[in-house]
Amino acid sequence: MFLDLTSFKYIDTHDYCVKIKNEIQDKENIPVSIGVAPTKTLCKVANRIVKDFPEKFNEGVYILDSPEKIEKALKWLNIGDVWGIGRKLSAKMNDSGVYKAWDLLQKPEMWVRQIMGIHGVRMMNELKGIRQLELDAPSPKKSIAVTRSFMQMLTKKDEVRERVETFGMYCSERLRKQNTCCKMVTVFVQTNRFRKDLPEYRNAKTQILSNPTNSSILIGRVVNELFESIFEDGFHYKKAGVIVNDFVPEDQRLISLFEEDEQNQHLPVMKVMDAMNKKYGKDKVRLGSMSGQNTWGRAQISPEYEAFLKNNTLPEANFRFH
């Protein structure tokens, strides 16, 4: 894992990293070593030094913050231990007289490009302290799908409806988590295609929203309308799902002039719901249309585990919002 500490101008980097290490050790009981440097590759070098000399760096942190430290580290590090160089490339480097990471920096850039391509040039610059590899920022998902197979085939409309509306709520929670709203909702249902002795049916329908939303209430309303239009009696349903896509950032919504926008009305309720579910556990606060029963997980649990759940979970809040 890499963290960007460039903005920590008024914070002692060493003390901050020691605090991170100790907190992980205390809470998760996982030993951690931290290397700090101008580039990702040099961070790996600093981290390697901490691991190889635990007695010297007993706090588990080492910072390459000067040209002298970087030069000393690279003259110590074998070329095969540089991040991105494997055994075959290491042997090839040794044949050319490159045994340490510092030796690589003494070679002309053209030679490095011929041996390793553009990847080698970037590595060379990283070892010099010139950043070439940026931190990977997680990109928002382009679509979110919540689909489940039921433990038992369902025939009652209300039972299937409750499952589908639950999936819609999970989709809206994920939308809020990445601060986006969707403009398109799809609902599908299907029977068990492996049961040739039963009639087969599958259907799906999509609705484009006039106003993008991530409200569980509004998405649940749309999901219910779509479900009503595709459900057919007389079938044994085995699987259903909800898919939302066509996302826009939450703060860049374009709303219709001809329809009322209820997103802002529901926003405070959604924030409270998310906060309580995060604090007390999944689905502790949910829409009234959700039963809260897990119908797609393991069919049976032992009496001992059932007793444990009863004695170690909070009373569930089941509210219906209008």
Side-chain angles (χ1 to χ4, degrees):
M1 175 186 289
F2 294 95
L3 298 177
D4 189 355
L5 303 178
T6 52
S7 61
F8 284 35
K9 297 180 180 179
Y10 306 105
I11 297 177
D12 188 290
T13 304
H14 182 272
D15 292 344
Y16 182 76
C17 291
V18 170
K19 182 179 178 181
I20 293 176
K21 175 192 176 298
N22 292 337
E23 192 165 339
I24 295 175
Q25 180 72 51
D26 295 341
K27 292 185 177 180
E28 305 297 336
N29 197 27
I30 300 176
V32 175
S33 56
I34 300 177
V36 182
T39 66
K40 280 186 173 183
T41 305
L42 287 176
C43 283
K44 287 283 190 178
V45 176
N47 186 271
R48 180 62 180 262
I49 292 173
V50 175
K51 291 179 179 178
D52 285 9
F53 301 98
E55 300 83 5
K56 185 175 181 180
F57 304 101
N58 52 15
E59 290 184 312
V61 177
Y62 183 53
I63 302 177
L64 292 174
D65 54 359
S66 69
E68 293 76 20
K69 286 185 178 180
I70 293 175
E71 180 178 342
K72 183 178 180 180
L74 296 182
K75 287 181 177 179
W76 164 81
L77 185 69
N78 292 326
I79 189 65
D81 294 329
V82 175
W83 186 37
I85 294 184
R87 285 185 296 177
K88 290 185 178 180
L89 188 56
S90 175
K92 196 172 184 179
M93 290 284 185
N94 292 161
D95 293 340
S96 301
V98 178
Y99 299 98
K100 301 291 184 179
W102 181 257
D103 298 335
L104 181 63
L105 300 187
Q106 312 313 308
K107 292 290 185 179
E109 182 178 314
M110 186 60 67
W111 181 88
V112 176
R113 184 183 290 270
Q114 289 176 349
I115 298 295
M116 301 176 61
I118 189 63
H119 168 72
V121 176
R122 290 173 180 166
M123 178 187 297
M124 191 176 185
N125 287 331
E126 284 265 318
L127 292 173
K128 291 178 180 178
I130 304 171
R131 182 180 294 185
Q132 300 287 297
L133 306 174
E134 298 296 332
L135 293 178
D136 298 327
S139 57
K141 296 180 179 179
K142 295 183 179 180
S143 67
I144 295 174
V146 179
T147 65
R148 298 288 189 276
S149 294
F150 309 133
M151 291 185 297
Q152 298 177 348
M153 290 183 288
L154 304 177
T155 57
K156 296 181 180 179
K157 185 176 184 179
D158 288 341
E159 290 182 346
V160 183
R161 183 207 310 275
E162 185 272 329
R163 276 60 165 183
V164 171
E165 290 188 357
T166 300
F167 301 157
M169 179 172 177
Y170 291 163
C171 285
S172 61
E173 288 177 349
R174 296 181 187 180
L175 284 170
R176 294 193 295 273
K177 190 173 183 179
Q178 66 177 31
N179 299 316
T180 57
C181 295
C182 72
K183 295 193 291 184
M184 190 178 299
V185 179
T186 301
V187 175
F188 76 86
V189 293
Q190 67 181 57
T191 56
N192 190 345
R193 59 190 178 93
F194 299 105
R195 289 291 301 270
K196 303 302 181 182
D197 57 321
L198 297 174
E200 186 174 350
Y201 174 76
R202 63 177 62 193
N203 201 352
K205 194 169 184 179
T206 299
Q207 180 172 326
I208 299 176
L209 308 181
S210 301
N211 297 320
T213 185
N214 57 18
S215 165
S216 297
I217 302 171
L218 296 178
I219 291 179
R221 189 181 301 167
V222 173
V223 166
N224 184 55
E225 293 174 358
L226 294 174
F227 172 77
E228 286 285 346
S229 65
I230 63 175
F231 182 85
E232 294 287 345
D233 289 316
F235 294 98
H236 294 71
Y237 291 94
K238 181 61 178 176
K239 187 176 183 179
V242 176
I243 304 169
V244 295
N245 48 26
D246 199 0
F247 299 160
V248 296
E250 195 174 33
D251 57 353
Q252 298 180 24
R253 299 170 59 248
L254 296 178
I255 61 176
S256 171
L257 296 175
F258 306 102
E259 292 191 21
E260 182 182 1
D261 181 33
E262 301 179 68
Q263 169 75 10
N264 292 333
Q265 299 176 18
H266 298 164
L267 192 58
V269 177
M270 296 299 104
K271 287 184 177 180
V272 172
M273 181 187 295
D274 292 339
M276 294 185 69
N277 284 333
K278 183 178 181 180
K279 183 175 182 179
Y280 297 113
K282 189 176 180 64
D283 295 343
K284 291 300 179 183
V285 180
R286 54 182 177 263
L287 300 182
S289 57
M290 297 170 57
S291 71
Q293 298 177 356
N294 183 357
T295 58
W296 46 83
R298 189 165 53 185
Q300 295 180 345
I301 59 176
S302 66
E304 293 80 8
Y305 186 56
E306 187 173 4
F308 170 81
L309 291 178
K310 289 181 179 179
N311 297 327
N312 292 275
T313 55
L314 293 170
E316 297 183 355
N318 192 347
F319 299 109
R320 181 180 295 276
F321 298 106
H322 299 283

